[in-house]
Amino acid sequence: MRQRRIKNLEEKLAECSSYITVNPKAVKGRWREVFGNDNPIYLELGCGKGQFIREHARRNPDCNYIAVEGALSVVLRALEKVKEAELENITFVLEYVQDLRDYFEDGELAGIFLNFSDPWPKERHAKRRLTYSKRLLHYCQVIEQGGSIQFKTDNEGLFEFTLEQIEEVGLEIMEMSRDLHNEQLNPELTEGNITTEYEDKFAGIGKNINYVKFRAK
């Protein structure tokens, strides 16, 4: 989908500069200094318009959050909303991140969120999927012992692929649902679920949402 052009985009991003971490690779190993505290740090890889990560930050002031998004015209809305809410426990990385190990030391993160990632449906593009086995191992390296990875998608093929990759790497599944919004199937998961804008749209028309949470090793 073509991103809409936003007039004066650079100026509008500059107005939210206090929420942007410039040159994030340079603070590898020092992310707690960015936040000014020792609270656990969670990352969402591909935050889109930011509803999910913003709500996490609002509900959990004793945790820190890093929102990663390379599409500037998309992430601007997220930045503006966070600024409006005056949240102090969230920062943004405005880049397309390929390898988290370039940005974080071993065990620097408490957990990672992957929401509605590009499915890359062609088999030859499997290595580009965010839940490809090699990427999962990279995530595990930068997550502290006992930390977790949470993944949501409406794409059945990508979900099956993800489950296969989790098994291949030997990770422990902690929670799973093939219909996250079905309160009768999983009332506890449904009640505590924080949604994305995309999720609201498709769950609203009856599309099942797949979810899995697994422990980093």
Side-chain angles (χ1 to χ4, degrees):
M1 181 182 296
R2 178 181 296 179
Q3 299 174 23
R4 66 185 183 90
R5 297 188 63 178
I6 297 178
K7 186 177 181 180
N8 301 323
L9 176 60
E10 293 301 325
E11 291 85 347
K12 291 178 179 178
L13 288 172
E15 292 173 359
C16 302
S17 60
S18 62
Y19 288 97
I20 300 171
T21 296
V22 180
N23 193 13
K25 290 181 179 180
V27 295
K28 177 180 177 179
R30 298 186 293 108
W31 281 94
R32 282 179 168 76
E33 295 178 18
V34 173
F35 293 103
N37 59 57
D38 291 327
N39 292 338
I41 302 171
Y42 294 86
L43 176 142
E44 183 182 13
L45 194 53
C47 73
K49 296 179 181 178
Q51 175 176 293
F52 176 88
I53 199 75
R54 184 177 71 250
E55 183 60 15
H56 266 283
R58 187 189 69 80
R59 293 190 191 184
N60 304 289
D62 56 345
C63 295
N64 298 318
Y65 296 90
I66 301 172
V68 177
E69 180 57 67
L72 300 186
S73 61
V74 174
V75 78
L76 174 62
R77 184 61 173 164
L79 281 161
E80 291 175 336
K81 283 288 189 178
V82 165
K83 181 182 178 182
E84 180 183 334
E86 298 182 341
L87 296 172
E88 298 181 353
N89 58 333
I90 185 169
T91 189
F92 287 77
V93 171
L94 308 188
E95 297 181 8
Y96 290 107
V97 172
Q98 296 299 320
D99 191 337
L100 287 178
R101 298 174 302 172
D102 294 333
Y103 297 80
F104 302 97
E105 291 286 2
D106 291 0
E108 196 165 12
L109 297 176
I112 294 174
F113 302 108
L114 306 171
N115 293 316
F116 302 93
S117 312
D118 189 331
W120 291 103
K122 294 183 180 179
E123 188 59 35
R124 68 176 184 272
H125 293 153
K127 293 182 179 181
R128 298 185 183 184
R129 298 169 191 161
L130 294 188
T131 52
Y132 177 64
S133 58
K134 188 174 182 179
R135 292 181 184 267
L136 294 183
L137 291 174
H138 292 173
Y139 303 154
C140 289
Q141 191 169 330
V142 300
I143 295 175
E144 65 186 19
Q145 186 174 4
S148 64
I149 302 166
Q150 296 185 45
F151 174 71
K152 288 195 282 189
T153 182
D154 63 317
N155 187 288
E156 306 298 333
L158 181 59
F159 192 63
E160 292 300 330
F161 172 83
T162 299
L163 296 180
E164 292 170 1
Q165 298 299 290
I166 292 171
E167 181 178 5
E168 179 178 317
V169 175
L171 303 180
E172 175 193 353
I173 291 179
M174 304 164 68
E175 300 173 345
M176 188 180 78
S177 174
R178 295 179 182 272
D179 192 0
L180 181 58
H181 289 246
N182 189 324
E183 295 183 9
Q184 293 182 330
L185 285 178
N186 30 240
E188 293 183 2
L189 295 182
T190 301
E191 182 180 358
N193 181 44
I194 295 176
T195 63
T196 72
E197 294 90 346
Y198 187 95
E199 183 175 353
D200 286 339
K201 176 182 177 181
F202 283 90
I205 61 174
K207 179 70 181 74
N208 67 296
I209 304 300
N210 300 287
Y211 162 79
V212 63
K213 178 179 180 180
F214 47 103
R215 198 184 312 276
K217 65 177 182 178

